[in-house]
Amino acid sequence: MEIVVVVLVALMPLLVIAAGLSDLLTMRIPNLISGALVLAFFPAAFAVGLPLEIVGLHGAVALLALVVSMGLFALRVFGGGDAKLVVGVCLWLGPSASLEFVLWTAIVGGLFSVALIFARRSLAPLVGIAPGWVGNLLEEKGDIPYGIAIAIGALIALPSSAIMAVA
């Protein structure tokens, strides 16, 4: 495999890891990461030789993810950064791996949320003395950085994607 193809395909896992870490540390997923994820898909897809009709199916899955994510954002299930990240991930994963991604994201997100609820109850005295991001994470009514679950779900599902099958 050519080095250019390796670099292009490696962008997806690197970007989702960056998004998950950013969400953990700042409770934000920068638009730059989600935008780069979307933009990097097309050169990567064509570099590995993904047929145009498969690229179109990946786009259709991303469009469906956009509609669903907008609904979840409107219902305040997750934030705007999470919604944009899900769209970018579904673009990369396409029809062959997006369902697996959603399943793993839900499992990891549920486990992480339960663990965080227990941590918030048992470690509440540390909120004032913990480093900034840990204190934010442990706030009783604080947000849950779901970008971590999205990143882990994406990394688990990536090997099942069409782009990895032809890479």
Side-chain angles (χ1 to χ4, degrees), residues 15 21 25 41 46 68 86 93 103 117 124 135 137 139 156:
L15 288 167
L21 288 174
L25 298 174
F41 168 74
F46 292 122
V68 171
V86 165
L93 298 179
L103 176 67
I117 289 167
L137 197 60
E139 284 182 16
I156 293 171

Side-chain angles (χ1 to χ4, degrees), residues 117-142:
I117 289 167
F118 283 120
R120 286 176 175 169
R121 288 189 180 149
S122 60
L123 301 174
L126 298 178
V127 171
I129 59 171
W133 69 273
V134 175
N136 291 341
L137 197 60
L138 293 177
E139 284 182 16
E140 186 178 345
K141 302 271 186 199

Side-chain angles (χ1 to χ4, degrees), residues 83-149:
K84 291 177 269 188
L85 182 60
V86 165
V87 172
V89 168
C90 284
L91 179 63
W92 275 83
L93 298 179
S96 63
S98 287
L99 226 45
E100 181 181 354
F101 159 66
V102 170
L103 176 67
W104 279 111
T105 299
I107 291 169
V108 171
L111 292 172
F112 181 67
S113 297
V114 168
L116 194 52
I117 289 167
F118 283 120
R120 286 176 175 169
R121 288 189 180 149
S122 60
L123 301 174
L126 298 178
V127 171
I129 59 171
W133 69 273
V134 175
N136 291 341
L137 197 60
L138 293 177
E139 284 182 16
E140 186 178 345
K141 302 271 186 199
D143 291 334
I144 295 174
Y146 212 73
I148 297 166

Side-chain angles (χ1 to χ4, degrees), residues 26-86:
T26 67
M27 298 287 187
R28 285 190 65 248
I29 299 172
N31 290 335
L32 181 63
I33 293 175
S34 299
L37 193 59
V38 169
L39 292 176
F41 168 74
F42 296 100
F46 292 122
V48 300
L50 213 57
L52 191 55
E53 53 274 2
I54 301 299
V55 172
L57 286 173
H58 280 244
V61 169
L63 189 58
L64 176 62
L66 176 64
V67 171
V68 171
S69 293
M70 286 172 50
L72 292 172
F73 173 73
L75 294 171
R76 298 180 185 225
V77 172
F78 57 51
D82 299 325
K84 291 177 269 188
L85 182 60
V86 165

